[in-house]
Amino acid sequence: MRTFTLSLLMATAFFHPVLQAQTAPVVPAPAEVLGFEPGQWHARHDQLEAYLRAAAAAAPDRTRFDIIGRTHEQRPLLQLILSSAANMQRLEQIREAHLAVSRGEKQPDPTLPAIVWLGYSIHGNEASGANASLRVVHQLLTSSDLAVKNLLDNSIILLQPSLNPDGNDRFATWVNMHQGTAAVADPQHREHVEPWPNGRPNHYWFDLNRDWLLLQHPESQARIAQFHRWRPQIVADFHEMGTNSTFFFQPGIPSRNSPFAPESTIKLTNQLAQFHAKALDEVNRLYFTEEAFDDFYVGKGSTYPDVHGSVGILFEQGSSRGHLQESLQSELSFSFAIDNQYRTSFSTLNGAIAHKQNLQQAQYQFAQKSKEQARLDPVRGYLLREPADQSRLAALLQLLKQHQIAAYALTEDFQINGKTFEAGHSYFVPVEQSQYNLIKAAFNTDTNFRDNTFYDVSAWTLPYAYNIDFAASRKAPSELAAEAWTKPAAIVQSFNDGAYAYALSWADQQAPVQTARLLQAGFQLRVAPKAFSAVTAQGVQQFAAGTVLLPAGLQADGWQQKLREFAQKQPLALSALTSGLTPQGQDLGSNQVKPLVLPEVLLVAGPGINSTEAGELWFATERLAGVSPSMAEPARLKRLDLARYSHILLPDGNYSSWGDAEVAQLKSWLEQGGVLWAQKAAVSWLAEKSLLQAKLKKASELKALVTMTAPVYQDKEQLAGRQRIAGAIFQTEVDLSHPLTFGLPRQQLPVFKNDLLLMEPAEQPFVTVARYSDQAQLAGYADPALVNAFRNSATVLAHNVGDGRIVAMTDNPVFRGYFVGSGRLLVNSLYFGKLFDSGDDSGDGDE
C-alpha cells in the first residue's frame, strides 16, 4: 500500500500565474467554510452550497446566488453569477442586449461582456469539477491580479458547481467513508470500487448528460431554462474519464461533429483549444484532443450549445475515483484532478475574453444564417397529429416549448400525401423560427452519415419517441392559430349523480396513472376486453377495447362525493354511461368485463443488472403507470416471498448468478399466476432456461453478416461500428387486438434499438404481439445486412406459463424515459397482463 500527502501538489499549484496574486481577506477561502482544502475530502452538495452562499454574501456587488430548481431528492440546484460590480449593476440590461445579438435582432456590440457558462460534474462520481468550482470562485473574488480583474470586467460567468447533486452526494458519501489517516492508492481498495448503481447517475439512475434534449428530469429542465435565459457563448462541460487516461479537451473526432453545428463553432473550438493547451503546458500536464469523444448527439452538454451557435467544450480528466489511485502515469490524486479542472476553467475564461468579439459575431451570424437556411428550406415545417391521446401530444408540445420551439394548432383540416391532419388535434411546427437548427435535429430521420461509428446514439427523433404521427410538409397550412401552443389549464369535470357507470378511455397517456390513483383511493374498477357502444347523455358513443369502467353498483356509500373531491385534485376525463345494456358489444355486467387491481410490482435491481435500464423501468412504472415498485437485488431472490407480487420486471442484465433454485422459484410463481416482464438480456436468459418459449439468434451470427472486403488493421473500428446497432429507431407492427397493445393509436409503433438480440416469431398463433416491419429502419444508422436480418422478426412475445404470463421484449420500451409511445407495452403488461390467454400452455387461464 502506498500513501500520499498533499504538500507537493499544493506547492506546485503556485507555479500557475493566476495563483501568484495576493488575496483579499474579505471572501473566505474554501477551507475556512469546509474545514478542509479542496481535494483532502470530497465536498458534499450542502458544503458546496455553504461555500457559494458565503462567497456571495462576502461579495454581493460581484455575485448573484440563485437556486434555479431542485432535484428529485429536493437538493437545490445552484447557480452563481460572477462579474465586475459595474456589470452586475446592469446585469439585466446586458442579458437583454446579448440575447438580441444572439438572436440576430441587433448588430454585435463590442462593449458587451462575453457570456460564459462553467458547468461541473453532471456525472456525480466525476467530482473533480465540482470541487474545482470552489477554487474558481475564490480566485475570481479574491485575486488582485489584473488578469482576473479583466476577466470580471469582460465577462458574465454563470457557474453551476454541481449539475447532479444527488449523484454527487451518493459518491462523496462512499469515498469519504473509506478515507483513513492516509489515502490508499490500491485500485482494489473498496473506496475505488463503488457499489451499484454508483454515483454517476441521478436519483432515478439516469445519465443527465443524455438529457439536455429530452428533459425528463428537473435538473435538466432547470438547466435548459437558464441556458435559454442567457444563451451563453461558451458552455464548458467538466467531466472525468478512466483513471489510466490523462486529460482531454475538444476538438473531438472531426468526422463525428453534429451536422447541425455551424463551422464557426468548430473553428472557435479549435482556437480555444490553444488556451487549454497553454495552461496545461505551463505545468507539463499530459493531454490529448481529436480522439475518443464525439459531438454528434445533440442531447449532450457539449453538443446542445453547438446547435444554438454557442461553443460547447467537453473536458475529461482522468479520474482518481476517490482520493488517490494508481494509474499508468503515476499515482493520480484527487487534488491533481481538481487542479487540472481549475486551470482549464481559467483557460476557458481567458479564451472567451480573447475571442469575445469572434464569439459574439459567430452567434449573430449563426442566427442570420439560420434565418436564411429556414427561408430556403424546401420543408416549410412539420405536422403533428394525435386524435385519441391529447396528453401524449401535449407532452411532446411541452418539450418543444421548453426548447423555445413554437407549434401552432391547425384551425382547418390539412391534406398531405393522402393523409389528413385534422383541426382540433393537429399542430404545425414551422421551420422559420429562431430554433431552426434544433427543429431539424429533433425531427431528423437520416439513416446514413459521413461517419457511421457512434459513441452514443445515432437517432433521437422526438415524434417517434412519443409515437406521434408526423410528416414533413413543403407547404405551410394557411389556417393556423394566431398564438403558439401553451399548456392549457386543467379543467375540473362535473359529474352526474345519476350515472350508471363512468368510462375512462385507455388511449390517453394519463389513463393508467388515473386508474392507479382511483384504485388507491378505494374505487372498484373494471376493464372491457372488447370494443362496445354505450348510451350516454350525449347519445350512443363508441368505446375501444381497454376502456376502464367505474360501475356505480360496485362502489361504497358516498362514492360520488368522493369522486368529485378526487377530481378536484386530479382532473379526470370520464364519460357518464346511463345504462349497463349496451347497443353493441358486451354488456357492462358481462363476465368478460374483468376486475382491475393495483399491480404489486417487484423490480429486480442491483449488482449484475443494467442500472440505467433498471432506473428507466422504475421511472416509467411511476410516471406512466402510477405504480411505485418494490426493488430487490438478484442475490436476494431466494429469500423473497414472491407471492406478494403480481408482477416481476427483469431489466437488461446478467442473470448468470441465478441457478436451478431461482429458475424453479420463478416457474412456480409464474404457474401460480404471476406476470413476468423481461427485456433484452433477460429475454436470452429466460429462453436459455426454457421459461420463455422462443428461438433466438446469437449476436455472433448477426455480426458475421457484416463483412468487409480485404480489411486492414485500420478498418477494425469501422467494422466494429457496422457490426452493432448504435441506437437507431425501428418500426414495428403490433397486433392491435391484443390486450398488450390496448390504447395504441395505430398498428405501426416506433421502438428504440441498440443491441443485436433477434427473436424469431412464435410458431404458434396468438403469441407474437409485435414484430419489426418489412421496412424497419426509421432513423439512425444500422448496416443494411443487420436491417435485413431483423425484418419481420419478433420484438414482443407473450404466452401462458400455467396460470401466469410471460412477456418478453427484445428492446427497451422506455429508453431514456422519453420513449413513452412504446412504453405503453410495459404499462399494459402491468394492468392487462392477465387479460390475454395465448392458449399455448396447460394452464387454462381462468381468472
Side-chain angles (χ1 to χ4, degrees):
M1 179 181 74
R2 287 181 274 183
T3 61
F4 180 83
T5 61
L6 295 172
S7 57
L8 178 60
L9 178 66
M10 296 305 292
T12 60
F14 286 93
F15 286 103
H16 191 276
V18 175
L19 292 174
Q20 293 174 351
Q22 297 296 314
T23 59
V26 181
V27 176
E32 296 177 67
V33 177
L34 305 179
F36 56 87
E37 293 288 347
Q40 291 179 316
W41 296 86
H42 283 250
R44 301 186 311 272
H45 188 262
D46 63 292
Q47 293 172 314
L48 297 175
E49 180 184 0
Y51 183 71
L52 261 63
R53 286 186 180 275
D61 59 329
R62 290 168 288 156
T63 62
R64 192 177 83 186
F65 176 85
D66 293 317
I67 292 177
I68 61 173
R70 290 191 176 270
T71 70
H72 287 293
E73 295 178 17
Q74 296 307 300
R75 290 183 176 86
L77 295 162
L78 311 176
Q79 180 171 275
L80 186 68
I81 302 178
L82 305 98
S83 193
S84 67
N87 286 339
M88 293 302 292
Q89 287 179 353
R90 58 187 193 100
L91 189 62
E92 186 61 15
Q93 178 186 345
I94 290 172
R95 185 184 72 84
E96 292 177 353
H98 162 70
L99 287 180
V101 174
S102 68
R103 292 170 180 160
E105 300 165 357
K106 178 183 174 183
Q107 290 288 332
D109 181 352
T111 66
L112 288 175
I115 312 296
V116 184
W117 172 305
L118 302 178
Y120 299 95
S121 303
I122 198 167
H123 297 138
N125 61 0
E126 300 176 4
S128 58
N131 287 263
S133 73
L134 305 178
R135 286 180 58 189
V136 171
V137 170
H138 181 249
Q139 183 67 12
L140 286 170
L141 295 180
T142 61
S143 176
S144 58
D145 191 296
L146 290 178
V148 174
K149 181 181 183 300
N150 185 51
L151 290 179
L152 294 175
D153 286 342
N154 288 281
S155 66
I156 305 294
I157 302 165
L158 312 172
L159 184 143
Q160 296 189 0
S162 174
L163 296 168
N164 181 4
D166 295 347
N168 177 89
D169 279 13
R170 190 183 311 126
F171 179 65
T173 299
W174 175 259
V175 295
N176 284 339
M177 69 185 281
H178 294 97
Q179 170 84 313
T181 56
V184 178
D186 179 5
Q188 299 181 103
H189 175 44
R190 194 163 183 257
E191 175 185 354
H192 306 305
V193 186
E194 291 177 78
W196 191 99
N198 74 43
R200 177 185 176 91
N202 77 337
H203 172 78
Y204 281 99
W205 312 332
F206 277 63
D207 185 335
L208 290 177
N209 196 42
R210 304 301 185 268
D211 199 43
W212 284 70
L213 175 68
L214 314 178
L215 304 186
Q216 299 300 297
H217 300 279
E219 300 94 331
S220 308
Q221 293 162 14
R223 184 173 66 247
I224 289 300
Q226 288 301 309
F227 177 87
H228 287 294
R229 176 173 171 76
W230 282 98
R231 287 293 178 94
Q233 290 151 340
I234 294 178
V235 173
D237 188 23
F238 294 90
H239 291 252
E240 291 180 355
M241 54 185 167
T243 302
N244 289 322
S245 298
T246 58
F247 192 91
F248 169 85
F249 53 85
Q250 286 179 316
I253 299 174
S255 62
R256 300 181 195 171
N257 290 317
S258 170
F260 306 102
E263 286 297 324
S264 60
T265 291
I266 298 168
K267 180 180 178 181
L268 283 163
T269 300
N270 282 274
Q271 291 173 340
L272 292 168
Q274 304 301 316
F275 289 82
H276 314 316
K278 182 176 185 295
L280 297 176
D281 286 345
E282 287 172 351
V283 284
N284 299 319
R285 303 283 165 82
L286 296 176
Y287 57 86
F288 64 97
T289 65
E290 298 187 317
E291 294 179 33
F293 301 97
D294 68 30
D295 247 349
F296 184 76
Y297 169 48
V298 299
K300 293 193 298 187
S302 61
T303 314
Y304 186 85
D306 291 352
V307 299
H308 291 83
S310 305
V311 180
I313 304 176
L314 173 67
F315 296 98
E316 294 273 358
Q317 163 64 47
S319 179
S320 63
R321 284 293 188 268
H323 295 88
L324 181 72
Q325 189 172 170
E326 296 168 6
S327 76
L328 289 177
Q329 283 74 41
S330 62
E331 287 187 340
L332 174 59
S333 74
F334 186 38
S335 296
F336 179 90
I338 289 172
D339 193 59
N340 278 347
Q341 305 278 37
Y342 168 85
R343 291 174 185 277
T344 48
S345 295
F346 275 96
S347 66
T348 300
L349 295 173
N350 290 330
I353 300 309
H355 289 282
K356 181 165 72 86
Q357 293 187 36
N358 292 336
L359 289 163
Q360 189 183 84
Q361 186 70 26
Q363 272 194 331
Y364 174 80
Q365 290 177 345
F366 172 81
Q368 294 293 324
K369 185 176 180 180
S370 294
K371 291 176 184 177
E372 183 66 8
Q373 287 175 314
R375 187 181 67 82
L376 297 175
D377 196 324
V379 172
R380 305 317 302 141
Y382 298 90
L383 290 154
L384 303 166
R385 69 184 288 273
E386 178 47 65
D389 187 352
Q390 292 300 292
S391 294
R392 184 159 40 85
L393 178 58
L396 175 57
L397 295 173
Q398 176 64 16
L399 176 59
L400 295 175
K401 182 177 174 59
Q402 288 174 285
H403 288 295
Q404 311 289 301
I405 296 173
Y408 298 86
L410 271 65
T411 56
E412 189 176 277
D413 291 358
F414 185 79
Q415 298 275 344
I416 179 173
N417 299 329
K419 182 185 296 185
T420 300
F421 285 79
E422 303 90 349
H425 44 249
S426 298
Y427 288 82
F428 182 67
V429 180
V431 297
E432 286 199 72
Q433 49 183 307
S434 63
Q435 286 290 66
Y436 169 76
N437 280 55
L438 188 61
I439 291 169
K440 298 298 287 186
F443 288 84
N444 181 50
T445 57
D446 288 346
T447 57
N448 210 347
F449 309 90
R450 179 173 57 148
D451 186 334
N452 289 323
T453 304
F454 297 94
Y455 174 76
D456 198 58
V457 299
S458 61
W460 50 84
T461 318
L462 295 183
Y464 284 147
Y466 283 80
N467 193 23
I468 299 297
D469 193 14
F470 79 107
S473 178
R474 290 174 174 262
K475 180 181 178 182
S478 57
E479 300 298 327
L480 294 173
E483 300 294 329
W485 178 90
T486 189
K487 189 175 182 179
I491 299 174
V492 178
Q493 184 178 354
S494 60
F495 294 99
N496 180 1
D497 287 350
Y500 177 87
Y502 290 103
L504 176 64
S505 170
W506 195 252
D508 193 279
Q509 182 179 291
Q510 287 301 307
V513 175
Q514 293 172 343
T515 296
R517 290 172 178 168
L518 287 167
L519 289 169
Q520 290 161 354
F523 291 96
Q524 299 296 310
L525 304 181
R526 297 289 186 267
V527 58
K530 298 179 181 179
F532 67 97
S533 63
V535 180
T536 73
Q538 289 75 38
V540 175
Q541 292 186 18
Q542 300 295 320
F543 294 90
T547 296
V548 175
L549 299 167
L550 192 157
L554 296 179
Q555 311 308 317
D557 291 344
W559 68 274
Q560 288 179 319
Q561 178 59 30
K562 183 179 178 182
L563 184 62
R564 281 192 287 269
E565 294 172 356
F566 184 91
Q568 294 288 331
K569 302 175 183 177
Q570 173 63 40
L572 293 168
L574 299 179
S575 299
L577 312 185
T578 60
S579 173
L581 184 65
T582 62
Q584 183 182 7
Q586 71 262 295
D587 294 325
L588 301 192
S590 167
N591 287 338
Q592 295 182 44
V593 179
K594 302 294 185 180
L596 271 182
V597 295
L598 193 68
E600 292 288 342
V601 181
L602 173 66
L603 171 61
V604 177
I609 302 301
N610 182 324
S611 63
T612 299
E613 296 204 10
E616 289 162 357
L617 285 173
W618 174 20
F619 186 67
T621 54
E622 291 190 339
R623 188 176 64 137
L624 300 180
V627 176
S628 292
S630 298
M631 293 185 278
E633 301 85 354
R636 288 204 291 131
L637 186 73
K638 285 189 291 189
R639 303 195 299 273
L640 299 179
D641 176 14
L642 298 186
R644 69 176 295 146
Y645 305 112
S646 62
H647 292 71
I648 296 177
L649 308 182
L650 300 185
D652 182 50
N654 185 344
Y655 292 87
S656 61
S657 63
W658 284 356
D660 292 343
E662 286 87 355
V663 172
Q665 184 185 14
L666 285 174
K667 185 176 181 181
S668 174
W669 173 81
L670 275 164
E671 290 175 338
Q672 294 173 44
V675 177
L676 182 65
W677 167 277
Q679 62 192 55
K680 297 178 70 171
V683 172
S684 298
W685 182 83
L686 289 169
E688 177 188 331
K689 299 302 180 182
S690 299
L691 288 173
L692 173 68
Q693 303 305 310
K695 294 180 180 179
L696 308 179
K697 281 192 176 181
K698 294 181 180 179
S700 58
E701 296 179 65
L702 296 172
K703 287 182 179 181
L705 299 174
V706 182
T707 60
M708 296 180 72
T709 303
V712 296
Y713 187 77
Q714 68 178 13
D715 297 326
K716 182 180 178 183
E717 184 179 11
Q718 182 186 1
L719 179 59
R722 289 179 52 202
Q723 288 178 329
R724 67 189 185 102
I725 296 178
I729 300 173
F730 275 36
Q731 182 90 286
T732 66
E733 305 285 335
V734 302
D735 178 355
L736 287 177
S737 69
H738 199 287
L740 295 183
T741 70
F742 286 173
L744 290 176
R746 57 194 152 270
Q747 188 177 8
Q748 292 74 33
L749 176 67
V751 300
F752 188 86
K753 186 159 194 65
N754 61 356
D755 71 1
L756 294 183
L757 179 60
L758 190 152
M759 185 164 60
E760 296 182 7
E763 295 178 359
Q764 62 270 42
F766 319 126
V767 172
T768 303
V769 180
R771 66 179 74 207
Y772 298 107
S773 302
D774 185 58
Q775 301 296 322
Q777 188 180 14
L778 288 175
Y781 176 73
D783 189 273
L786 294 177
V787 175
N788 185 61
F790 277 99
R791 284 192 179 106
N792 299 310
S793 67
T795 186
V796 179
L797 298 182
H799 63 72
N800 296 33
V801 179
D803 285 337
R805 307 290 186 272
I806 189 166
V807 184
M809 186 171 183
T810 58
D811 302 306
N812 175 5
V814 289
F815 177 72
R816 291 186 177 166
Y818 80 118
F819 257 79
V820 297
S822 52
R824 178 50 66 99
L825 296 167
L826 170 69
V827 172
N828 285 0
S829 296
L830 298 180
Y831 285 99
F832 304 151
K834 296 291 291 294
L835 206 58
F836 71 90
D837 183 353
S838 65
D840 62 318
D841 193 90
S842 58
D844 60 12
D846 186 9
E847 295 300 305

